Amino acid sequence: MPLGLRRKKNKSRESSNLVENEEVGGHAAGSSVKSTVNGAGLPPPPANLRPKLVFHTQLAHGSPTGRIEGFTNVKELYGKIADTFNLSPPEILFCTLNTHKIDMEKLLGGQIGLEDFIFAHIKGIKKEVEVFKSEDALGLTITDNGAGYAFIKRIKEGSVVDDVKVISVGDHIECINGKNIVGTRHYEVARMLKELPKQQKFTLKLVEPMKAFEMLEPRSKGTKPASENKLGTGRGTLRLRAKGPATVEEVPTEFEEKAVKKVDDLLESYMGIRDTELAATMVEVGRDKKNPDEFAMALDEALGDFAFPDEFVFDVWGAIGDAKQGRL
């Protein structure tokens, strides 16, 4: 049941980064809105090596338009957004690109189109719910925001969780059975939920994104992945990396788009998570590898914190090969 609304402090001033009454792919100031990369790794590069790019941003539930620049990973991005709107960075749950809606196919991951508009979804209502695990699978797909928050990306229709109507797509999972899991990666959260004993109850503490009045609607189960949903609208993208500086790259090729989507589907099938940045990294690692063993060794070197099943690695290798040959 709901535990209460997050209370915002009164703001004595507006940040100098706010652009009053400006409409740039979003809504004007003062109106209601109609529209993973882990920050860990190497220290950020010197300011003179960072891409000189400016992005426009708004709070998804309604705010003036702000400008942000000079970030190289998701944590820095959240910090810039928080400074712009006089927030604390932990108040930001996740960001979507070019829509204020809780659209899981428009989540900000490791790439931002140079003309993309960033909407930040911040903490709203807290709620605690008890769930009876009547089946092995709960029907949840988990992702994370790249800065320590795991949240629900999809709810399978007819599943155990689908019957618990207070749980929604976009909810941040804060605690499982009283254990705080903030800072736990999404694949670990998925494993913890999978290992909960069957035919027993468990408790979730959740935080849903704050919504504007016109956004209050029947909960969404999330859309199915679709290759036609492209995040970038510009001619290039800013690629955020877990290690090393951000880089400006061309729009992903057809091979990259198809391969990343297939690998993301395999991540959900094997591990119960979706993570386009992780999928893109795996495609990049496997692009020039000559056999599955070489690919597996390269994955261990690049992503040592993940424990991938051998069958999963083999299937990813096959998916990358199929994309190269145009068979996807």
Side-chain angles (χ1 to χ4, degrees):
M1 61 184 296
L3 301 179
L5 289 172
R6 182 186 61 83
R7 301 180 185 272
K8 294 181 68 176
K9 298 179 181 178
N10 292 329
K11 305 297 186 296
S12 58
R13 62 179 178 84
E14 289 291 340
S15 169
S16 59
N17 288 334
L18 298 183
V19 184
E20 297 293 341
N21 297 317
E22 180 178 359
E23 292 190 17
V24 188
H27 66 291
S31 67
S32 294
V33 187
K34 296 277 185 198
S35 168
T36 56
V37 179
N38 191 328
L42 299 179
N48 63 335
L49 296 180
R50 302 185 183 201
K52 302 296 183 182
L53 302 172
V54 177
F55 294 88
H56 289 84
T57 183
Q58 289 175 344
L59 300 181
H61 66 280
S63 77
T65 299
R67 291 191 180 105
I68 54 174
E69 61 181 313
F71 56 88
T72 61
N73 58 50
V74 171
K75 285 188 176 179
E76 288 184 4
L77 167 63
Y78 288 0
K80 295 286 184 179
I81 294 174
D83 288 344
T84 297
F85 296 109
N86 294 321
L87 300 169
S88 170
E91 290 186 71
I92 301 173
L93 290 179
F94 55 85
C95 294
T96 50
L97 299 178
N98 306 315
T99 178
H100 75 293
K101 297 181 179 180
I102 303 171
D103 185 342
M104 295 293 103
E105 298 309 317
K106 298 297 176 67
L107 281 174
L108 184 152
Q111 296 189 21
I112 307 174
L114 300 187
E115 296 178 9
D116 281 344
F117 196 104
I118 302 171
F119 288 90
H121 299 254
I122 68 173
K123 289 182 178 179
I125 295 175
K126 290 188 175 183
K127 50 196 179 183
E128 183 171 330
V129 60
E130 191 174 74
V131 181
F132 180 73
K133 189 175 183 182
S134 57
E135 304 289 342
D136 289 325
L138 292 171
L140 288 177
T141 298
I142 308 299
T143 189
D144 69 27
N145 70 350
Y149 289 165
F151 58 94
I152 298 170
K153 186 166 186 179
R154 188 177 306 153
I155 298 174
K156 184 178 180 181
E157 189 170 0
S159 65
V160 172
V161 170
D162 189 35
D163 290 334
V164 186
K165 300 307 180 186
V166 73
I167 302 177
S168 299
V169 166
D171 285 354
H172 159 49
I173 303 174
E174 188 176 66
C175 295
I176 300 175
N177 282 336
K179 179 181 179 180
N180 189 299
I181 60 167
V182 173
T184 305
R185 292 302 306 275
H186 52 340
Y187 55 91
E188 289 292 340
V189 176
R191 180 185 58 78
M192 291 167 66
L193 291 170
K194 185 176 181 179
E195 291 178 352
L196 289 170
K198 188 177 173 182
Q199 302 299 324
Q200 291 188 27
K201 293 179 180 179
F202 65 94
T203 302
L204 294 176
K205 286 187 178 180
L206 307 168
V207 183
E208 69 177 42
M210 183 174 288
K211 301 179 179 70
F213 180 77
E214 70 273 14
M215 292 170 65
L216 300 177
E217 56 188 16
R219 75 169 186 175
S220 168
K221 298 180 178 64
T223 55
K224 294 181 179 180
S227 58
E228 65 270 17
N229 286 327
K230 299 178 182 179
L231 297 183
T233 59
R235 289 175 294 176
T237 62
L238 178 67
R239 176 76 183 274
L240 306 176
R241 300 176 183 276
K243 298 181 180 180
T247 56
V248 177
E249 302 177 354
E250 293 297 319
V251 172
T253 64
E254 184 178 3
F255 151 71
E256 290 168 333
E257 286 186 346
K258 289 182 176 180
V260 167
K261 175 173 182 306
K262 180 60 177 178
V263 173
D264 203 21
D265 289 344
L266 289 170
L267 280 170
E268 181 173 22
S269 176
Y270 277 91
M271 302 178 69
I273 65 173
R274 290 196 78 86
D275 187 329
T276 54
E277 173 57 16
L278 175 59
T281 299
M282 298 182 78
V283 170
E284 187 175 338
V285 167
R287 182 190 296 270
D288 59 350
K289 299 302 177 288
K290 297 180 176 60
N291 56 63
D293 289 337
E294 186 177 335
F295 175 53
M297 292 177 63
L299 278 184
D300 285 342
E301 187 173 326
L303 300 167
D305 53 340
F306 286 83
F308 298 116
D310 291 342
E311 313 86 62
F312 170 76
V313 173
F314 187 82
D315 284 351
V316 170
W317 166 255
I320 295 172
D322 287 344
K324 287 180 182 179
Q325 300 298 321
R327 292 195 293 265
L328 290 181

